[in-house]
Amino acid sequence: MGLFHPERDQLQLEDVLAALGNPLRLRIVCQLAQADERVCGSFAIGVTKATATHHWRVLRESGIVRQWQAGRCHYVALRRSDLETRFPGLLDVVLKDGAKDGAEEHAEPIRLART
Amino acid sequence: MGLFHPERDQLQLEDVLAALGNPLRLRIVCQLAQADERVCGSFAIGVTKATATHHWRVLRESGIVRQWQAGRCHYVALRRSDLETRFPGLLDVVLKDGAKDGAEEHAEPIRLART
DNA sequence: CCCACTGTACGACAACCTTCGTACAGAGTT
DNA sequence: AACTCTGTACGAAGGTTGTCGTACAGTGGG
């Protein structure tokens, strides 16, 4: 069950905006921007694994993130250069705004709800 | 029955992105950007009046456009400076992308479906 | 080989979104 | 006053989204 990733020139602005137009996904992207890559499970997003999988899929299929498996974990990274090529400036706008308010991760993470 | 408009400092990036994350509204915004203000009914968007009202409301309540009544018509305009102040660069990104593909209005407008 | 761990697959459910038709409200015209 | 025109209000239908629980698949460690 390979993970679908759209090619850079298939990215649709409308899909990217729709993916970012959700508070949870917007926070995830801002958190992710502070590292080059991270393990999916390391995010303190306060939803179950099933829900998290759903949101990762939306982010991946809109072309915002790339995911790959390594051992038991899935890694995830922002597709910075692809986004910058197709929609120059967009990521800057989003991240700059996210930096203002609660983009920082909690010192005491919420972790997944009920595992 | 006044039309609700959020203040500039109440605008939420997430709402703006969600509003733009719809093909119809994205096209409307790109068309609207080519003029300072326009009559709502002058857009060739191919949906009924009721549906158009819905989309104008989403755009208005997210803070992307301002609407006001003059005589029988409603006028609409992009809130360029408010958007630029709160999310600098965002509108540029969106309009630049919209300029590539079908942002131009049809010479032979579709007009409303079934009036 | 069996267990623990990370994440996906699937099915369910409620909430929301998009669209429409119909009815109505307000403004201008005749 | 009656009519037209633009757009809103409301309710309904159908689709999509966000969330969850449960079950399963793949990997690595004992």
Side-chain angles (χ1 to χ4, degrees):
Chain A
M1 188 71 14
L3 305 175
F4 171 74
H5 289 87
E7 295 300 324
R8 181 175 63 185
D9 32 319
Q10 251 102 57
L11 304 196
Q12 296 290 121
L13 178 59
E14 150 204 337
D15 295 336
V16 172
L17 295 175
L20 295 173
N22 170 286
L24 187 51
R25 289 193 294 261
L26 199 50
R27 267 196 291 135
I28 289 177
V29 167
C30 291
Q31 289 181 16
L32 183 54
Q34 296 165 210
D36 276 351
E37 62 184 51
R38 282 183 59 174
V39 173
C40 288
S42 73
F43 286 78
I45 52 181
V47 293
T48 63
K49 287 187 298 179
T51 304
T53 295
H54 162 71
H55 288 295
W56 285 124
R57 182 148 62 101
V58 173
L59 288 170
R60 177 165 40 76
E61 295 189 345
S62 66
I64 296 172
V65 305
R66 191 172 294 283
Q67 277 181 293
W68 66 95
Q69 195 166 359
R72 279 189 290 198
C73 296
H74 280 72
Y75 282 76
V76 64
L78 266 184
R79 292 177 64 175
R80 287 178 180 277
S81 72
D82 287 339
L83 289 169
E84 190 57 23
T85 302
R86 293 287 274 99
F87 316 114
L90 177 57
L91 210 47
D92 291 342
V93 175
V94 170
L95 297 180
K96 188 187 283 184
D97 187 80
K100 281 205 276 287
D101 28 59
E104 331 78 29
E105 227 153 341
H106 264 260
E108 194 173 350
I110 312 167
R111 290 321 306 266
L112 294 175
R114 250 157 300 164
T115 314
Chain B
M1 188 70 14
L3 305 174
F4 171 74
H5 289 88
E7 294 300 323
R8 180 174 66 186
D9 33 318
Q10 251 102 57
L11 303 195
Q12 295 291 121
L13 178 59
E14 151 203 337
D15 296 336
V16 172
L17 295 175
L20 295 173
N22 169 286
L24 187 51
R25 291 192 294 260
L26 199 51
R27 267 195 291 134
I28 289 177
V29 168
C30 291
Q31 289 182 15
L32 183 54
Q34 297 166 211
D36 276 352
E37 63 185 49
R38 280 184 61 174
V39 172
C40 288
S42 74
F43 285 78
I45 53 182
V47 294
T48 63
K49 288 187 298 178
T51 304
T53 294
H54 162 71
H55 288 296
W56 286 122
R57 182 148 62 102
V58 174
L59 288 170
R60 178 166 40 76
E61 296 188 346
S62 67
I64 296 173
V65 305
R66 191 173 294 284
Q67 278 179 293
W68 64 96
Q69 196 168 357
R72 279 189 290 200
C73 296
H74 281 72
Y75 281 76
V76 64
L78 266 183
R79 292 178 65 175
R80 286 179 181 274
S81 72
D82 287 339
L83 289 169
E84 189 58 23
T85 303
R86 293 286 275 99
F87 316 114
L90 177 57
L91 211 46
D92 291 343
V93 176
V94 170
L95 297 180
K96 188 187 281 185
D97 188 79
K100 281 205 276 286
D101 30 59
E104 333 77 30
E105 227 152 343
H106 265 260
E108 194 173 353
I110 312 167
R111 291 319 306 268
L112 294 174
R114 248 156 302 165
T115 314

